[in-house]
Amino acid sequence: MSGVPSTTDSLASALSRTALAPVQVVAFWSAIALPLAYLPLLAGGLETGELSLFVGLLAVHAAALVIGRDHAQE
């Protein structure tokens, strides 16, 4: 009977999908919109203070790509 999922497993799975869905939506659309923030930084040239901002922006974009990759795939 180990192959039969229990009710609590399916309930926990449904709750995690429900809770994760809004996070995936925000991450998906953020991954689409974040490259627009690169334009002003790159157009003006990257100075020392802006370099850390650009690297942080790249890290946030990478995280948004990973988190939002499964949005609306059914």
Side-chain angles (χ1 to χ4, degrees), residues 20 23-36 38 55-73:
L20 190 58
V23 174
Q24 286 181 334
V25 170
V26 169
F28 177 82
W29 288 107
S30 295
I32 291 173
L34 277 172
L36 295 174
Y38 299 159
V55 170
L57 188 60
L58 285 175
V60 169
H61 190 197
L65 286 169
V66 170
I67 294 169
R69 73 177 181 259
D70 291 332
H71 170 61
Q73 289 193 6

Side-chain angles (χ1 to χ4, degrees), residues 2 15 26-27 32 44 54 68:
S2 63
L15 286 175
V26 169
I32 291 173
F54 184 70

